[in-house]
């Protein structure tokens, strides 16, 4: 077992797709021993994501690499009594059990909390759902595109203006933040166990995380606030907290909130000191009152130079700005590499994306490439005390792969 904050912690990842399994991935980053339980044959259906129409094509299973690094795969058929017996023995010695199977499936497979809790009173049972486990929609399937992105209002709120169609989400956009919520719940429960000696159930769901993400405006609505019409970029109320297209098609995002302080330096940077004496823009209220005119001017200014030129000019001037990143930027982003946002797989030159938390004095394990279906079945079963003959019987019964 490798060293790490969670060395010796045994985690059963009995889940599929992203949000719940990714919580197990974060635990594995800090040294937990994570066993991925997946059905024999096809395994977790998430393995097939890159083969679906519209997804990028690669020789590597990039989706599986992200969610299943560091894990061991046990291909186990929970619908068979023999498979259920293996799971029962695993649960008895586990610390955390993670699942996102719909409630009816959990009941059918006898992996609901009430089925598992009596097997190990120190177990943390972490369950994740689309819409919570109560009410008329408790059994309703949910993906982050539907329960997190669309249901929360974000799909509507991020539109450029009222005339633009609602924006589509990208794969895993909500699942990965949700994974951090479930991870936080698990770690909180482990802390509670340290105090009480007892395990418990923890929960999270896509819908709750979605409205939490949109909570500034959602809370305003709950308070009966009055909302203005959504303005397009060309009608923004503040020209210096807006985004502008460069000559090469890339976008710069200004965020000059300390506007009175930054305005002189900004006009110098863009070589338009004349704007300081323009009566339309002398004071902050002037600039806001004439924001549409200032946006038109800045559109022309930024269109004269490429993105790299503007980035160099704005950097180091005390001006707050960002840029609309594109995927082509990420493999070459030195700031991400310097801060271990991007890290290499063990014994590979392929980079992967680190979990976004660091703990003082703790070193994360170097990520290992993900397992094939059932790659560690025999190893895990032998560690549990099964001999070769018993393993062959399980395999003959179709309970393991």
């Amino acid at each position: 077992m490798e060293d790490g904050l969670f060395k010796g912690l045994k985690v059963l990842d009995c889940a599929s797709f992203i949000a719940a399994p990714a919580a197990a991935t974060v635990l594995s980053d800090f040294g937990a021993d994570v066993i991925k339980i997946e059905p024999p044959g096809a395994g977790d259906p998430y393995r097939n994501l890159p083969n679906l129409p519209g997804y990028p094509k690669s020789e590597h299973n990039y989706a599986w690499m992200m969610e299943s690094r560091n894990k061991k795969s046990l291909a186990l058929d929970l619908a068979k009594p023999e498979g259920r017996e293996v799971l029962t023995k695993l649960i008895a010695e586990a610390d955390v059990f993670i699942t996102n199977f719909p409630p009816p499936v959990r009941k059918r497979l006898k992996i609901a909390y009430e089925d598992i809790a009596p097997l190990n009173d120190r177990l943390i049972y972490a369950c994740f759902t689309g819409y919570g486990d109560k009410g008329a929609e408790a059994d309703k399937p949910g993906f982050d595109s539907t329960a997190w992105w669309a249901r929360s209002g974000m799909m509507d709120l991020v539109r450029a203006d009222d005339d633009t169609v609602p924006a589509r989400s990208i794969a895993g956009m909500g699942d990965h933040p949700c994974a951090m919520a479930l991870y936080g719940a698990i770690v909180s429960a482990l802390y509670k166990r340290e105090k009480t000696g007892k395990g418990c159930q923890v929960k999270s769901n896509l819908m709750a995380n979605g409205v939490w993400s949109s909570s500034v405006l959602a809370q305003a609505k709950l308070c009966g606030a009055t909302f203005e019409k959504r303005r397009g970029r060309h009608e923004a109320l503040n020209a210096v907290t807006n985004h502008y297209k460069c000559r090469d098609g890339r976008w710069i995002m200004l965020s000059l909130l300390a506007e009175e302080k930054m305005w002189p330096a900004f006009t110098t940077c863009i070589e338009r000191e004349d704007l300081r004496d323009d009566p339309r823009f002398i004071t902050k209220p002037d600039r806001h009152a004439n924001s549409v005119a200032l946006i038109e001017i800045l559109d022309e200014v930024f269109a004269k130079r490429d993105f790299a030129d503007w980035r160099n000019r704005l950097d180091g001037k005390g001006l707050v700005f960002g840029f609309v990143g594109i995927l082509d930027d990420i493999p070459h982003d030195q700031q991400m590499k310097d801060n271990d946002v991007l890290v290499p797989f063990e014994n590979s030159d392929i980079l992967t994306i680190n979990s976004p938390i660091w703990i003082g004095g703790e070193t994360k394990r170097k990520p290992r490439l993900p397992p094939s279906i059932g790659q560690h079945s025999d190893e895990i079963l032998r560690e549990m005390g099964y001999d070769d003959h018993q393993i062959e019987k399980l395999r003959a019964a179709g309970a393991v792969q």
Side-chain angles (χ1 to χ4, degrees), residues 43-202:
D44 185 335
Y46 187 58
R47 288 179 178 270
N48 192 51
L49 185 81
N51 297 323
L52 297 177
Y55 280 89
K57 302 304 177 188
S58 170
E59 62 179 307
H60 304 289
N61 191 336
Y62 49 85
W64 193 245
M65 291 167 80
M66 266 296 299
E67 317 313 337
S68 293
R69 63 174 180 241
N70 307 328
K71 300 179 183 180
K72 297 178 180 178
S73 172
L74 170 61
L76 191 65
D77 189 342
L78 300 180
K80 294 185 180 297
E82 298 88 347
R84 170 68 189 176
E85 181 182 350
V86 172
L87 180 66
T88 298
K89 292 180 179 179
L90 276 173
I91 289 170
E93 58 186 33
D95 295 287
V96 181
F97 180 87
I98 300 174
T99 186
N100 62 353
F101 292 170
V105 176
R106 277 185 254 158
K107 291 175 183 177
R108 175 167 53 81
L109 295 176
K110 294 183 172 55
I111 58 169
Y113 179 65
E114 56 269 23
D115 299 311
I116 287 180
L119 304 177
N120 181 346
D121 65 359
R122 286 179 54 80
L123 184 75
I124 308 303
Y125 181 96
C127 61
F128 194 84
T129 57
Y131 300 93
D133 60 356
K134 300 175 184 176
E137 297 177 78
D139 296 344
K140 182 178 176 180
F143 290 94
D144 67 343
S145 59
T146 56
W148 182 84
W149 180 241
R151 182 67 169 266
S152 66
M154 284 188 287
M155 186 173 186
D156 173 63
L157 289 167
V158 302
R159 290 192 286 175
D161 54 57
D162 285 338
D163 297 324
T164 306
V165 298
R168 293 186 297 174
S169 61
I170 62 170
M173 192 168 93
D175 283 321
H176 287 104
C178 290
M180 301 309 298
L182 190 61
Y183 167 80
I186 291 167
V187 172
S188 298
L190 288 170
Y191 178 69
K192 177 183 177 181
R193 190 177 74 173
E194 286 296 305
K195 298 173 70 175
T196 67
K198 299 293 185 181
C200 64
Q201 179 177 199
V202 298

Side-chain angles (χ1 to χ4, degrees), residues 6 18 24 44 47 56 81-82 88 92 97 102 128 153 162 206 218 243 246 285 312 329 355 358 366-367:
F6 295 131
I18 304 178
D44 185 335
R47 288 179 178 270
E82 298 88 347
T88 298
F97 180 87
F128 194 84
D162 285 338
L206 290 165
H243 47 292
C246 305
N312 289 334
D329 296 334
S355 50
W358 290 265
K366 197 155 190 177

